[in-house]
Amino acid sequence: MIAVVRRVLVALVVLWGVATVVFFIVRAAPGDPATALLGPDADAGQVAALRESMGLNRPLVGQYAAYLGDLVTLDLGSSHRLGRPAIDAVAERLPATVELTLAATLIAVVAGLVLGALAGRRAGSVWDRLVSTATIGLQSFPTFWVGIMFILLFALTLGVLPSAGAGTPAHLVLPAVTLALPFTAIVARLTRSSMADTLTESYILTARAKGLTERQVLTGHVLRNSLVPVVTIVALQMGALMGGAVVVENVFAWPGLGSLIVDAIGNRDYAVVQAATLVIATIVVALNLLVDLAYRAIDPRIRTGDRA
Amino acid sequence: MNPLPETLEAATAAATLPPARPSRPRHLLARVFAAVPFVILGCYLVAAVVGPLLIDYDPVDTPLVDRLLAPGSRTSAGELAVLGTDHLGRDVLAQVVYGARTSVLIGVATVVVASVVGCCVGVIAGYSGGLVDTVLARIMDITLAFPGILLAIVIAGVLDGGAVVVVAALAVSGWIGIARVARGVAVSVRSRPWTDAARMLGVRPARMIVRHVLPFAAGPVVALATVEFALVVLAEAGLSFLGVGLPASTVSWGQTIANGKEYLASAWWISAFAGVALAGLVVSVGLIGDAFTQRYGRGFSR
């Protein structure tokens, strides 16, 4: 129980750390935010009034304290450009990002498991070599470029899928597949090595000895036992997946948090940058915490092996 | 490239395993095959170093008469545009060659910064142990939980600087992997008999680290740094693609790909060739990194 409380506290410290980093990055931005917001036509009085209302005249420590205080009450500031709380803009875009990342996770897990199982069934086989080579390519190709080439092929040349935007399931296909590619490779590599490890276990020998067919051994004994590390990695990769989504969303004009952040950076709308970054950080940290606690509940070895 | 061990315990355990060194590939064909990535990387390095001397290119010079010429066309000046021209009439081949220089320079600078910081933090954490180790290890775990590319986008986008900001933004998440590996090595070396012997002989901690710990970390760190170089090249292109990376006056593959995206229907060659160049570099460095990891990484490859 103490360990659980400790994990939750660590998660909160992480969030505090992210919030602090984001605060200081934004404050280190060149130029005066008030001037940037009002544009070149504003007179000095307007700028001064806005500076006062944004709290920019207070000392940095005071601003930081006020910022942390606002965070606790979930007040992430308001976007002067959009004229409404930044958190509203973020909440509006969040479902699209969740949809995209979930779809990509599904594709990556299914395709990765199939490829990894094909490769891991027999080490050194043709499938093994094929999959191992392919995964290196999948992991190395820049997703934004692959996305553009998908647009070129499927949208512009073949005309079978829409190139940008959201709305219908067809709109989801290209962004989700693009985002899924590198994670498919990760899942496939992991499944492959995990299966190779499991195949050397003595209970596999027992299963074969008692006359199970190779198929029964593979699906019932090998694959099931190989899943544990795969599931862990998938959950822990969610952070990287959210990061990848930021890039992929911009390729396909997907109306999620990623395109919101990049637009907000372009417009110097720092309240939105702050809010979106913190929301993504919270999701990632919460997922990591959940995985951690779930394993604690499932696997007693983790509980006893807990490091102080 | 390789998923790193997810916890420090795993990293430590992996580092203490006996080094699994695969025997050298015996067949001639296998050897030739293994040499391919090195040859490709060599071509990129030659292009990065020599290319700009041979090809004249000015990113600000925009001969609009020559815009969107297909690969193999002649420009108005009578020159052959082997890979075509972009929407401002600039030669795509020249952008590919100059982009190689940008990518290699940013990649090397970032990896050097990340490796120096990572080695220092990791070795100090692993060698000193105790509270220092606990705090530093926690900081590493914490930073690792955050998507590095997002942090880089926010830093590079908000601070709006040139190459220095981009390198810093990329190194912010790059040093952690190195630090974890260096820490794992330091932890395992710290308790070996020869370090005990050196300590009893009165060797000072700084000298201990330089003479007895860092040499053991060199192999795994170089292997990981190679993999990270590939990731940094990818990330830099990603930043430039999003318009938050290098200023428009420098040539970057990411920018070329982004420019070409607007003209996909009429001029596919702009995005395509820059992307092929980028993918080729990342794949070959990734393969070299995997080979290094198998040879020197001591079980870090899964």
Side-chain angles (χ1 to χ4, degrees):
Chain A
M1 193 60 211
I2 294 171
V4 173
V5 173
R6 198 204 310 273
R7 294 284 153 158
V8 175
L9 284 179
V10 167
L12 288 176
V13 171
V14 175
L15 286 180
W16 168 71
V18 172
T20 305
V21 169
V22 171
F23 173 84
F24 284 106
I25 292 171
V26 168
R27 287 306 175 280
D32 177 47
T35 318
L37 278 173
L38 291 169
D41 297 333
D43 61 47
Q46 285 172 306
V47 173
L50 185 62
R51 281 189 66 85
E52 188 58 43
S53 76
M54 290 173 78
L56 293 173
N57 291 331
R58 279 181 284 172
L60 197 62
V61 181
Q63 287 184 41
Y64 176 62
Y67 162 79
L68 286 185
D70 287 345
L71 279 190
V72 174
T73 56
L74 292 183
D75 175 7
L76 294 172
S78 77
S79 160
H80 289 260
R81 203 179 69 86
L82 303 172
R84 58 185 180 144
I87 193 74
D88 288 2
V90 171
E92 193 182 284
R93 298 290 196 98
L94 184 60
T97 298
V98 171
E99 185 188 345
L100 177 62
T101 40
L102 283 184
T105 310
L106 192 69
I107 295 171
V109 169
V110 172
L113 279 180
V114 171
L115 289 175
L118 280 174
R121 205 170 43 172
R122 216 151 45 83
S125 65
V126 179
W127 271 109
D128 188 12
R129 286 165 185 224
L130 211 65
V131 170
S132 300
T133 315
T135 51
I136 292 171
L138 288 183
Q139 271 185 291
S140 306
F141 277 26
T143 47
F144 58 93
W145 179 70
V146 171
I148 289 177
M149 291 300 111
F150 278 171
I151 293 177
L152 184 61
L153 180 63
F154 293 105
L156 297 176
T157 310
L158 299 176
V160 286
L161 288 167
S163 66
T168 66
H171 282 95
L172 184 60
V173 176
L174 287 184
V177 170
T178 308
L179 180 58
L181 286 181
F183 299 96
T184 307
I186 294 175
V187 174
R189 280 185 122 175
L190 229 116
T191 311
R192 181 194 162 279
S193 62
S194 182
M195 271 186 81
D197 285 348
T198 314
L199 276 169
T200 63
E201 297 279 349
S202 43
Y203 57 77
I204 301 299
L205 194 66
T206 312
R208 286 197 176 125
K210 70 183 184 189
L212 294 184
T213 63
E214 192 61 22
R215 187 187 190 83
Q216 283 172 315
V217 173
L218 282 177
T219 51
H221 291 70
V222 181
L223 202 55
R224 285 184 79 142
N225 283 299
S226 309
L227 280 181
V228 179
V230 176
V231 171
T232 318
I233 292 297
V234 167
L236 292 175
Q237 285 289 336
M238 289 308 282
L241 198 66
M242 301 281 291
V246 174
V247 178
V248 170
E249 282 180 9
N250 280 284
V251 176
F252 294 97
W254 185 260
L257 286 178
S259 38
L260 181 71
I261 288 182
V262 173
D263 287 350
I265 286 174
N267 293 319
R268 304 216 161 281
D269 192 351
Y270 295 136
V272 171
V273 176
Q274 247 172 23
T277 311
L278 284 175
V279 165
I280 292 182
T282 311
I283 294 172
V284 172
V285 169
L287 280 173
N288 277 303
L289 182 66
L290 277 179
V291 176
D292 212 26
L293 296 182
Y295 273 86
R296 199 163 279 283
I298 296 168
D299 192 342
R301 282 172 299 182
I302 301 176
R303 264 175 281 166
T304 50
D306 192 33
R307 196 171 48 139
Chain B
M1 297 299 109
N2 295 303
L4 289 168
E6 284 310 320
T7 59
L8 288 165
E9 288 83 355
T12 314
T16 47
L17 284 176
R21 295 198 177 185
S23 55
R24 288 182 72 85
R26 274 171 301 155
H27 302 297
L28 183 67
L29 198 67
R31 280 198 189 189
V32 172
F33 224 64
V36 168
F38 289 92
V39 174
I40 297 177
L41 178 64
C43 294
Y44 277 97
L45 292 180
V46 169
V49 174
V50 184
L53 303 176
L54 300 179
I55 301 176
D56 206 19
Y57 178 74
D58 181 2
V60 199
D61 180 32
T62 54
L64 288 170
V65 246
D66 298 328
R67 67 196 299 267
L68 304 179
L69 290 180
S73 316
R74 293 253 166 214
T75 64
S76 56
E79 286 165 13
L80 186 67
V82 181
L83 299 183
T85 61
D86 71 0
H87 62 298
L88 296 174
R90 299 174 297 189
D91 188 44
V92 173
L93 174 66
Q95 293 185 35
V96 167
V97 169
Y98 277 69
R101 188 178 60 173
T102 309
S103 285
V104 170
L105 282 180
I106 297 281
V108 168
T110 307
V111 167
V112 166
V113 172
S115 300
V116 170
V117 174
C119 276
C120 287
V121 175
V123 168
I124 289 172
Y127 185 75
S128 40
L131 186 67
V132 179
D133 185 31
T134 311
V135 171
L136 288 176
R138 271 276 175 267
I139 293 178
M140 290 178 220
D141 279 344
I142 286 170
T143 327
L144 204 69
F146 198 75
I149 185 74
L150 177 58
L151 202 57
I153 289 171
V154 171
I155 294 176
V158 170
L159 297 188
D160 199 19
V164 175
V165 170
V166 170
V167 168
L170 295 172
V172 161
S173 46
W175 67 274
I176 307 157
I178 307 261
R180 284 159 64 109
V181 169
R183 178 187 173 277
V185 173
V187 166
S188 76
V189 172
R190 184 181 55 188
S191 50
R192 298 292 169 89
W194 68 86
T195 46
D196 284 342
R199 209 173 293 126
M200 271 186 286
L201 286 170
V203 177
R204 294 216 183 96
R207 192 175 167 78
M208 280 290 296
I209 286 176
V210 173
R211 288 295 298 270
H212 299 277
V213 181
L214 277 181
F216 288 92
V221 166
V222 167
L224 186 61
T226 314
V227 174
E228 240 169 52
F229 174 81
L231 293 179
V232 167
V233 167
L234 264 187
E236 182 276 316
L239 292 184
S240 295
F241 173 78
L242 294 176
V244 298
L246 298 166
S249 55
T250 43
V251 187
S252 161
W253 289 331
Q255 278 175 17
T256 306
I257 294 173
N259 291 337
K261 183 172 180 273
E262 308 303 318
Y263 298 89
L264 266 188
S266 54
W268 54 269
W269 50 88
I270 309 173
S271 286
F273 289 128
V276 169
L278 172 58
L281 177 59
V282 175
V283 170
S284 53
V285 175
L287 287 171
I288 293 172
D290 280 1
F292 278 179
T293 309
Q294 277 186 4
R295 200 165 267 274
Y296 308 111
R298 304 192 185 180
F300 277 104
S301 69
R302 289 198 187 232

